[in-house]
Amino acid sequence: MQNLPGDQFTRSCFVAEKGNKFIAVDYSSQEQIILANFSLEPNLLNFYRKGFTDMHSYVAFLMYPEIRRHKLEDLTPADLKYVKEEYPEQRRIAKNAGFAINYGGNGVTIARNCNIPQKDGEFVYNKYFENFPGLREYFDKVMEYTMRHQYVTYNSATNRKLFLDPGLPLVKYKADVEDPFFWQRPDAKSLYALYRNSLADIQRVSQNYPIQGTAADCSKLAGVILFNELKKRNLLFKVLIVNMVHDEFCVEAPKEMAEEISQLVVDCMEKAGTIFCKVIPLRAEPAIGDYWIH
């Protein structure tokens, strides 16, 4: 269901039963807001606290001095609209950089995704962290924690963990590489190459899993809260939980109850969000129609 096209023609194939409305509610920027809460990066927090909505234009504004019309503290939604309309290429690169870095990518990843020279990809990578220094500190911290404990902790609410495979070169050769006599070994170069490649994989996991794993925990908890609310109100099988697609709940309800149930789903999802996001709240956005609108 996650891989179905999002165009209207495809989504209109999924219709509510006669007499019902189709309600789709999804989290707004779920993973990005989780990252802001976990990292407490000042410029990310500033974006959400000011009520901005175009993250990619915001990142471009920070990364490219030539497109700034004001200081950051004077930034308005109109400035972000200006960036989107007048500097689409810079915005596209900022968008790709954000996605790549948040999931453990580097300058090479950015260059490949944006179809630009590698040196430009490295420039964008360094510029990104220049403007979001708190992200670098956060990523270094989770990487160090993962290396020390040999597992990734998704969040402190569930304390769910992913343990590293003891067969990974990173784990298997860690003691060898840290031995002061390591480079005297005849196989030192080959072992170190395996270790470094595995290090990049673990860096990606340590950055990615807490964000995506927490998003999954949050969505599943929202489903539990919603089910319990429907049960408490004696609405099970009158209101139908049709599907849960990543961070979106698809629900059917009688036409006369559609608005009420839509708000109930929003409330349940946002209540789940408060368990994981203590600084910037997670918001949910509903859509009501005869078919799957989102």
Side-chain angles (χ1 to χ4, degrees):
M1 296 298 286
Q2 292 179 30
N3 293 325
L4 283 170
D7 62 274
Q8 184 178 352
F9 178 78
T10 304
R11 296 299 175 97
S12 66
C13 297
F14 297 86
V15 298
E17 290 183 2
K18 188 176 179 181
N20 282 356
K21 285 289 186 181
F22 199 112
I23 302 164
V25 187
D26 68 347
Y27 282 113
S28 178
S29 304
Q30 186 190 35
E31 291 176 359
Q32 195 69 35
I33 288 177
I34 290 170
L35 177 61
N37 278 275
F38 283 13
S39 68
L40 299 178
E41 208 300 313
N43 281 334
L44 277 181
L45 296 180
N46 177 64
F47 174 85
Y48 291 110
R49 283 171 173 159
K50 286 198 169 184
F52 296 143
T53 55
D54 186 349
M55 174 61 77
H56 308 312
S57 292
Y58 180 74
V59 173
F61 176 90
L62 292 174
M63 286 174 57
Y64 296 100
E66 67 271 18
I67 68 178
R68 296 184 191 177
R69 300 193 297 181
H70 307 296
K71 293 179 180 178
L72 179 59
E73 54 267 29
D74 299 322
L75 187 67
T76 68
D79 294 312
L80 297 182
K81 185 180 179 185
Y82 168 78
V83 171
K84 184 176 183 178
E85 292 173 351
E86 300 297 326
Y87 295 93
E89 181 59 16
Q90 286 88 338
R91 184 180 182 275
R92 181 184 74 86
I93 291 173
K95 177 180 179 180
N96 278 291
F99 284 136
I101 290 169
N102 291 347
Y103 296 118
N106 52 28
V108 176
T109 316
I110 295 169
R112 186 169 61 246
N113 292 351
C114 296
N115 196 25
I116 58 177
Q118 185 172 331
K119 65 178 179 60
D120 293 344
E122 296 291 350
F123 169 80
V124 170
Y125 180 82
N126 293 326
K127 203 73 178 165
Y128 193 94
F129 281 114
E130 234 178 74
N131 287 285
F132 295 99
L135 282 185
R136 171 70 78 187
E137 292 172 19
Y138 168 70
F139 289 150
D140 287 347
K141 180 176 149 190
V142 294
M143 179 62 175
E144 190 274 331
Y145 183 94
T146 302
M147 291 288 288
R148 186 169 73 250
H149 296 282
Q150 300 296 296
Y151 59 75
V152 181
T153 299
Y154 291 17
N155 54 72
S156 58
T158 64
N159 210 30
R160 195 153 63 97
K161 295 176 176 63
L162 171 76
F163 287 86
L164 301 186
D165 182 347
L168 282 172
L170 178 70
V171 179
K172 197 173 178 183
Y173 303 127
K174 187 173 185 293
D176 294 325
V177 170
E178 292 173 353
D179 188 317
F181 299 104
F182 172 73
W183 289 104
Q184 295 178 17
R185 294 176 52 161
D187 58 350
K189 282 188 179 179
S190 60
L191 287 185
Y192 191 70
L194 287 170
Y195 177 85
R196 291 294 300 176
N197 288 338
S198 184
L199 188 67
D201 290 338
I202 296 305
Q203 182 176 23
R204 191 158 47 249
V205 166
S206 69
Q207 291 177 202
N208 183 303
Y209 277 52
I211 307 305
Q212 287 201 318
T214 297
D217 287 347
C218 181
S219 295
K220 286 183 277 190
L221 177 59
V224 172
I225 295 171
L226 175 59
F227 180 88
N228 288 338
E229 278 296 321
L230 294 178
K231 185 177 179 182
K232 185 172 76 176
R233 298 173 188 221
N234 201 28
L235 290 173
L236 288 177
F237 305 109
K238 185 173 185 181
V239 174
L240 309 174
I241 301 177
V242 178
N243 213 334
M244 175 183 150
V245 186
H246 191 44
D247 65 344
E248 177 179 358
F249 280 88
C250 298
V251 175
E252 281 190 37
K255 290 179 181 179
E256 63 275 11
M257 300 179 64
E259 291 290 343
E260 175 194 347
I261 297 303
S262 170
Q263 188 57 52
L264 176 64
V265 178
V266 168
D267 292 344
C268 292
M269 292 175 71
E270 291 184 353
K271 183 177 180 180
T274 63
I275 304 299
F276 304 94
C277 297
K278 306 291 188 183
V279 180
I280 303 297
L282 260 177
R283 299 298 182 202
E285 298 180 349
I288 302 172
D290 295 321
Y291 61 88
W292 186 10
I293 293 176
H294 277 178

mmCIF file of all heavy atoms in Angstrom, residues 169-199:
data_model
loop_
_atom_site.group_PDB
_atom_site.id
_atom_site.type_symbol
_atom_site.label_atom_id
_atom_site.label_comp_id
_atom_site.label_asym_id
_atom_site.label_seq_id
_atom_site.Cartn_x
_atom_site.Cartn_y
_atom_site.Cartn_z
ATOM 1 N N PRO A 169 32.116 -6.690 10.353
ATOM 2 C CA PRO A 169 33.536 -6.334 10.491
ATOM 3 C C PRO A 169 33.767 -5.259 11.548
ATOM 4 O O PRO A 169 34.763 -5.287 12.265
ATOM 5 C CB PRO A 169 33.903 -5.833 9.092
ATOM 6 C CG PRO A 169 32.966 -6.540 8.178
ATOM 7 C CD PRO A 169 31.690 -6.660 8.954
ATOM 8 N N LEU A 170 32.824 -4.336 11.664
ATOM 9 C CA LEU A 170 32.956 -3.256 12.645
ATOM 10 C C LEU A 170 33.062 -3.818 14.058
ATOM 11 O O LEU A 170 33.857 -3.348 14.877
ATOM 12 C CB LEU A 170 31.745 -2.326 12.557
ATOM 13 C CG LEU A 170 31.719 -1.176 13.567
ATOM 14 C CD1 LEU A 170 32.785 -0.162 13.248
ATOM 15 C CD2 LEU A 170 30.368 -0.516 13.608
ATOM 16 N N VAL A 171 32.263 -4.832 14.362
ATOM 17 C CA VAL A 171 32.269 -5.438 15.689
ATOM 18 C C VAL A 171 33.413 -6.448 15.806
ATOM 19 O O VAL A 171 34.141 -6.481 16.792
ATOM 20 C CB VAL A 171 30.914 -6.134 15.958
ATOM 21 C CG1 VAL A 171 30.912 -6.791 17.322
ATOM 22 C CG2 VAL A 171 29.769 -5.136 15.825
ATOM 23 N N LYS A 172 33.568 -7.211 14.759
ATOM 24 C CA LYS A 172 34.519 -8.325 14.772
ATOM 25 C C LYS A 172 35.969 -7.839 14.904
ATOM 26 O O LYS A 172 36.783 -8.447 15.604
ATOM 27 C CB LYS A 172 34.346 -9.105 13.461
ATOM 28 C CG LYS A 172 34.948 -10.491 13.457
ATOM 29 C CD LYS A 172 34.541 -11.183 12.164
ATOM 30 C CE LYS A 172 35.151 -12.564 12.066
ATOM 31 N NZ LYS A 172 34.807 -13.206 10.784
ATOM 32 N N TYR A 173 36.279 -6.711 14.224
ATOM 33 C CA TYR A 173 37.670 -6.257 14.187
ATOM 34 C C TYR A 173 37.923 -5.003 15.022
ATOM 35 O O TYR A 173 38.997 -4.420 14.940
ATOM 36 C CB TYR A 173 38.090 -5.996 12.739
ATOM 37 C CG TYR A 173 37.924 -7.192 11.830
ATOM 38 C CD1 TYR A 173 37.213 -7.097 10.646
ATOM 39 C CD2 TYR A 173 38.476 -8.429 12.178
ATOM 40 C CE1 TYR A 173 37.030 -8.206 9.820
ATOM 41 C CE2 TYR A 173 38.304 -9.538 11.364
ATOM 42 C CZ TYR A 173 37.584 -9.423 10.184
ATOM 43 O OH TYR A 173 37.419 -10.509 9.372
ATOM 44 N N LYS A 174 36.931 -4.591 15.806
ATOM 45 C CA LYS A 174 37.080 -3.361 16.592
ATOM 46 C C LYS A 174 38.308 -3.439 17.518
ATOM 47 O O LYS A 174 39.138 -2.522 17.551
ATOM 48 C CB LYS A 174 35.814 -3.114 17.421
ATOM 49 C CG LYS A 174 35.800 -1.773 18.152
ATOM 50 C CD LYS A 174 34.436 -1.565 18.793
ATOM 51 C CE LYS A 174 34.343 -0.189 19.426
ATOM 52 N NZ LYS A 174 35.221 -0.015 20.567
ATOM 53 N N ALA A 175 38.426 -4.526 18.258
ATOM 54 C CA ALA A 175 39.556 -4.678 19.186
ATOM 55 C C ALA A 175 40.873 -4.731 18.424
ATOM 56 O O ALA A 175 41.885 -4.166 18.858
ATOM 57 C CB ALA A 175 39.370 -5.935 20.032
ATOM 58 N N ASP A 176 40.876 -5.389 17.252
ATOM 59 C CA ASP A 176 42.091 -5.479 16.449
ATOM 60 C C ASP A 176 42.549 -4.100 15.997
ATOM 61 O O ASP A 176 43.729 -3.750 16.112
ATOM 62 C CB ASP A 176 41.857 -6.357 15.216
ATOM 63 C CG ASP A 176 41.602 -7.813 15.572
ATOM 64 O OD1 ASP A 176 42.210 -8.282 16.546
ATOM 65 O OD2 ASP A 176 40.780 -8.455 14.906
ATOM 66 N N VAL A 177 41.622 -3.313 15.466
ATOM 67 C CA VAL A 177 41.962 -1.990 14.931
ATOM 68 C C VAL A 177 42.474 -1.064 16.034
ATOM 69 O O VAL A 177 43.338 -0.219 15.804
ATOM 70 C CB VAL A 177 40.722 -1.371 14.226
ATOM 71 C CG1 VAL A 177 40.956 0.087 13.877
ATOM 72 C CG2 VAL A 177 40.389 -2.166 12.968
ATOM 73 N N GLU A 178 41.940 -1.230 17.235
ATOM 74 C CA GLU A 178 42.347 -0.365 18.353
ATOM 75 C C GLU A 178 43.643 -0.832 19.019
ATOM 76 O O GLU A 178 44.192 -0.139 19.868
ATOM 77 C CB GLU A 178 41.213 -0.313 19.382
ATOM 78 C CG GLU A 178 39.985 0.427 18.864
ATOM 79 C CD GLU A 178 38.802 0.346 19.803
ATOM 80 O OE1 GLU A 178 38.886 -0.397 20.808
ATOM 81 O OE2 GLU A 178 37.802 1.046 19.531
ATOM 82 N N ASP A 179 44.143 -2.000 18.619
ATOM 83 C CA ASP A 179 45.409 -2.501 19.157
ATOM 84 C C ASP A 179 46.562 -1.642 18.626
ATOM 85 O O ASP A 179 46.669 -1.414 17.422
ATOM 86 C CB ASP A 179 45.597 -3.964 18.703
ATOM 87 C CG ASP A 179 46.790 -4.627 19.370
ATOM 88 O OD1 ASP A 179 47.847 -3.989 19.475
ATOM 89 O OD2 ASP A 179 46.661 -5.792 19.783
ATOM 90 N N PRO A 180 47.462 -1.149 19.496
ATOM 91 C CA PRO A 180 48.570 -0.284 19.028
ATOM 92 C C PRO A 180 49.508 -0.980 18.040
ATOM 93 O O PRO A 180 50.217 -0.307 17.282
ATOM 94 C CB PRO A 180 49.301 0.082 20.328
ATOM 95 C CG PRO A 180 48.805 -0.864 21.371
ATOM 96 C CD PRO A 180 47.448 -1.298 20.958
ATOM 97 N N PHE A 181 49.487 -2.297 18.014
ATOM 98 C CA PHE A 181 50.368 -3.032 17.085
ATOM 99 C C PHE A 181 49.626 -3.495 15.831
ATOM 100 O O PHE A 181 50.137 -4.303 15.054
ATOM 101 C CB PHE A 181 50.986 -4.247 17.801
ATOM 102 C CG PHE A 181 51.821 -3.878 18.989
ATOM 103 C CD1 PHE A 181 51.330 -4.052 20.269
ATOM 104 C CD2 PHE A 181 53.091 -3.321 18.822
ATOM 105 C CE1 PHE A 181 52.083 -3.694 21.374
ATOM 106 C CE2 PHE A 181 53.860 -2.970 19.922
ATOM 107 C CZ PHE A 181 53.357 -3.149 21.203
ATOM 108 N N PHE A 182 48.402 -2.971 15.640
ATOM 109 C CA PHE A 182 47.566 -3.428 14.527
ATOM 110 C C PHE A 182 48.272 -3.303 13.183
ATOM 111 O O PHE A 182 48.231 -4.220 12.361
ATOM 112 C CB PHE A 182 46.254 -2.631 14.507
ATOM 113 C CG PHE A 182 45.393 -2.883 13.300
ATOM 114 C CD1 PHE A 182 44.695 -4.076 13.168
ATOM 115 C CD2 PHE A 182 45.296 -1.947 12.270
ATOM 116 C CE1 PHE A 182 43.903 -4.320 12.060
ATOM 117 C CE2 PHE A 182 44.516 -2.187 11.154
ATOM 118 C CZ PHE A 182 43.820 -3.375 11.050
ATOM 119 N N TRP A 183 48.911 -2.145 12.922
ATOM 120 C CA TRP A 183 49.474 -1.899 11.593
ATOM 121 C C TRP A 183 50.713 -2.737 11.301
ATOM 122 O O TRP A 183 51.249 -2.687 10.197
ATOM 123 C CB TRP A 183 49.768 -0.417 11.411
ATOM 124 C CG TRP A 183 48.487 0.356 11.284
ATOM 125 C CD1 TRP A 183 47.890 1.135 12.209
ATOM 126 C CD2 TRP A 183 47.619 0.353 10.144
ATOM 127 N NE1 TRP A 183 46.716 1.638 11.742
ATOM 128 C CE2 TRP A 183 46.514 1.184 10.466
ATOM 129 C CE3 TRP A 183 47.656 -0.256 8.880
ATOM 130 C CZ2 TRP A 183 45.466 1.412 9.576
ATOM 131 C CZ3 TRP A 183 46.628 -0.031 7.993
ATOM 132 C CH2 TRP A 183 45.547 0.794 8.341
ATOM 133 N N GLN A 184 51.173 -3.495 12.275
ATOM 134 C CA GLN A 184 52.288 -4.409 12.017
ATOM 135 C C GLN A 184 51.801 -5.738 11.430
ATOM 136 O O GLN A 184 52.595 -6.550 10.982
ATOM 137 C CB GLN A 184 53.061 -4.667 13.319
ATOM 138 C CG GLN A 184 53.743 -3.420 13.880
ATOM 139 C CD GLN A 184 54.451 -3.688 15.194
ATOM 140 O OE1 GLN A 184 54.716 -4.837 15.554
ATOM 141 N NE2 GLN A 184 54.762 -2.619 15.922
ATOM 142 N N ARG A 185 50.487 -5.937 11.422
ATOM 143 C CA ARG A 185 49.929 -7.174 10.886
ATOM 144 C C ARG A 185 49.968 -7.155 9.354
ATOM 145 O O ARG A 185 49.714 -6.114 8.736
ATOM 146 C CB ARG A 185 48.483 -7.357 11.344
ATOM 147 C CG ARG A 185 48.336 -7.562 12.828
ATOM 148 C CD ARG A 185 46.896 -7.636 13.262
ATOM 149 N NE ARG A 185 46.099 -8.599 12.502
ATOM 150 C CZ ARG A 185 44.950 -9.105 12.917
ATOM 151 N NH1 ARG A 185 44.457 -8.741 14.103
ATOM 152 N NH2 ARG A 185 44.288 -9.968 12.183
ATOM 153 N N PRO A 186 50.254 -8.288 8.717
ATOM 154 C CA PRO A 186 50.291 -8.316 7.245
ATOM 155 C C PRO A 186 48.918 -8.071 6.609
ATOM 156 O O PRO A 186 48.833 -7.611 5.465
ATOM 157 C CB PRO A 186 50.802 -9.724 6.923
ATOM 158 C CG PRO A 186 50.536 -10.530 8.167
ATOM 159 C CD PRO A 186 50.632 -9.568 9.307
ATOM 160 N N ASP A 187 47.838 -8.388 7.326
ATOM 161 C CA ASP A 187 46.495 -8.224 6.768
ATOM 162 C C ASP A 187 45.832 -6.920 7.242
ATOM 163 O O ASP A 187 44.622 -6.740 7.114
ATOM 164 C CB ASP A 187 45.606 -9.405 7.144
ATOM 165 C CG ASP A 187 45.484 -9.592 8.665
ATOM 166 O OD1 ASP A 187 46.238 -8.923 9.410
ATOM 167 O OD2 ASP A 187 44.653 -10.401 9.100
ATOM 168 N N ALA A 188 46.630 -5.994 7.796
ATOM 169 C CA ALA A 188 46.075 -4.770 8.394
ATOM 170 C C ALA A 188 45.260 -3.948 7.395
ATOM 171 O O ALA A 188 44.155 -3.497 7.709
ATOM 172 C CB ALA A 188 47.198 -3.925 8.991
ATOM 173 N N LYS A 189 45.773 -3.762 6.191
ATOM 174 C CA LYS A 189 45.086 -2.912 5.207
ATOM 175 C C LYS A 189 43.727 -3.483 4.822
ATOM 176 O O LYS A 189 42.725 -2.764 4.756
ATOM 177 C CB LYS A 189 45.955 -2.739 3.951
ATOM 178 C CG LYS A 189 47.071 -1.743 4.123
ATOM 179 C CD LYS A 189 47.778 -1.474 2.799
ATOM 180 C CE LYS A 189 48.875 -0.447 2.974
ATOM 181 N NZ LYS A 189 49.592 -0.185 1.695
ATOM 182 N N SER A 190 43.679 -4.778 4.555
ATOM 183 C CA SER A 190 42.410 -5.387 4.134
ATOM 184 C C SER A 190 41.397 -5.380 5.273
ATOM 185 O O SER A 190 40.205 -5.109 5.074
ATOM 186 C CB SER A 190 42.634 -6.814 3.625
ATOM 187 O OG SER A 190 43.199 -7.621 4.647
ATOM 188 N N LEU A 191 41.856 -5.661 6.502
ATOM 189 C CA LEU A 191 40.950 -5.638 7.649
ATOM 190 C C LEU A 191 40.431 -4.221 7.906
ATOM 191 O O LEU A 191 39.247 -4.030 8.203
ATOM 192 C CB LEU A 191 41.655 -6.157 8.909
ATOM 193 C CG LEU A 191 41.920 -7.653 9.006
ATOM 194 C CD1 LEU A 191 42.506 -8.001 10.364
ATOM 195 C CD2 LEU A 191 40.645 -8.457 8.782
ATOM 196 N N TYR A 192 41.318 -3.243 7.757
ATOM 197 C CA TYR A 192 40.909 -1.863 8.018
ATOM 198 C C TYR A 192 39.895 -1.382 6.979
ATOM 199 O O TYR A 192 38.964 -0.648 7.294
ATOM 200 C CB TYR A 192 42.126 -0.937 8.023
ATOM 201 C CG TYR A 192 41.801 0.441 8.550
ATOM 202 C CD1 TYR A 192 41.515 0.634 9.894
ATOM 203 C CD2 TYR A 192 41.759 1.540 7.692
ATOM 204 C CE1 TYR A 192 41.195 1.891 10.391
ATOM 205 C CE2 TYR A 192 41.444 2.803 8.178
ATOM 206 C CZ TYR A 192 41.166 2.970 9.532
ATOM 207 O OH TYR A 192 40.847 4.220 10.006
ATOM 208 N N ALA A 193 40.067 -1.829 5.729
ATOM 209 C CA ALA A 193 39.108 -1.462 4.679
ATOM 210 C C ALA A 193 37.721 -2.028 5.001
ATOM 211 O O ALA A 193 36.706 -1.334 4.858
ATOM 212 C CB ALA A 193 39.593 -1.985 3.325
ATOM 213 N N LEU A 194 37.681 -3.288 5.435
ATOM 214 C CA LEU A 194 36.403 -3.890 5.832
ATOM 215 C C LEU A 194 35.796 -3.129 7.018
ATOM 216 O O LEU A 194 34.592 -2.864 7.058
ATOM 217 C CB LEU A 194 36.618 -5.355 6.236
ATOM 218 C CG LEU A 194 36.893 -6.350 5.101
ATOM 219 C CD1 LEU A 194 37.328 -7.693 5.688
ATOM 220 C CD2 LEU A 194 35.652 -6.531 4.238
ATOM 221 N N TYR A 195 36.652 -2.776 7.955
ATOM 222 C CA TYR A 195 36.202 -2.060 9.154
ATOM 223 C C TYR A 195 35.601 -0.704 8.774
ATOM 224 O O TYR A 195 34.526 -0.336 9.264
ATOM 225 C CB TYR A 195 37.406 -1.874 10.089
ATOM 226 C CG TYR A 195 37.111 -1.078 11.340
ATOM 227 C CD1 TYR A 195 36.584 -1.697 12.470
ATOM 228 C CD2 TYR A 195 37.394 0.280 11.409
ATOM 229 C CE1 TYR A 195 36.326 -0.976 13.627
ATOM 230 C CE2 TYR A 195 37.134 1.012 12.557
ATOM 231 C CZ TYR A 195 36.603 0.374 13.669
ATOM 232 O OH TYR A 195 36.347 1.096 14.806
ATOM 233 N N ARG A 196 36.272 0.030 7.899
ATOM 234 C CA ARG A 196 35.794 1.365 7.507
ATOM 235 C C ARG A 196 34.472 1.288 6.752
ATOM 236 O O ARG A 196 33.575 2.102 6.966
ATOM 237 C CB ARG A 196 36.838 2.076 6.633
ATOM 238 C CG ARG A 196 38.097 2.487 7.349
ATOM 239 C CD ARG A 196 37.859 3.550 8.403
ATOM 240 N NE ARG A 196 37.291 4.763 7.856
ATOM 241 C CZ ARG A 196 36.912 5.809 8.578
ATOM 242 N NH1 ARG A 196 37.020 5.768 9.884
ATOM 243 N NH2 ARG A 196 36.411 6.887 8.007
ATOM 244 N N ASN A 197 34.344 0.319 5.851
ATOM 245 C CA ASN A 197 33.083 0.163 5.111
ATOM 246 C C ASN A 197 31.943 -0.173 6.067
ATOM 247 O O ASN A 197 30.830 0.344 5.931
ATOM 248 C CB ASN A 197 33.215 -0.939 4.056
ATOM 249 C CG ASN A 197 34.090 -0.513 2.901
ATOM 250 O OD1 ASN A 197 34.265 0.677 2.659
ATOM 251 N ND2 ASN A 197 34.655 -1.467 2.189
ATOM 252 N N SER A 198 32.222 -1.038 7.024
ATOM 253 C CA SER A 198 31.206 -1.406 8.004
ATOM 254 C C SER A 198 30.864 -0.218 8.897
ATOM 255 O O SER A 198 29.710 -0.024 9.283
ATOM 256 C CB SER A 198 31.732 -2.563 8.861
ATOM 257 O OG SER A 198 30.753 -3.001 9.760
ATOM 258 N N LEU A 199 31.849 0.623 9.170
ATOM 259 C CA LEU A 199 31.637 1.823 9.980
ATOM 260 C C LEU A 199 30.624 2.749 9.314
ATOM 261 O O LEU A 199 29.737 3.301 9.965
ATOM 262 C CB LEU A 199 32.973 2.552 10.173
ATOM 263 C CG LEU A 199 32.999 3.732 11.140
ATOM 264 C CD1 LEU A 199 32.776 3.266 12.566
ATOM 265 C CD2 LEU A 199 34.317 4.482 11.037
#
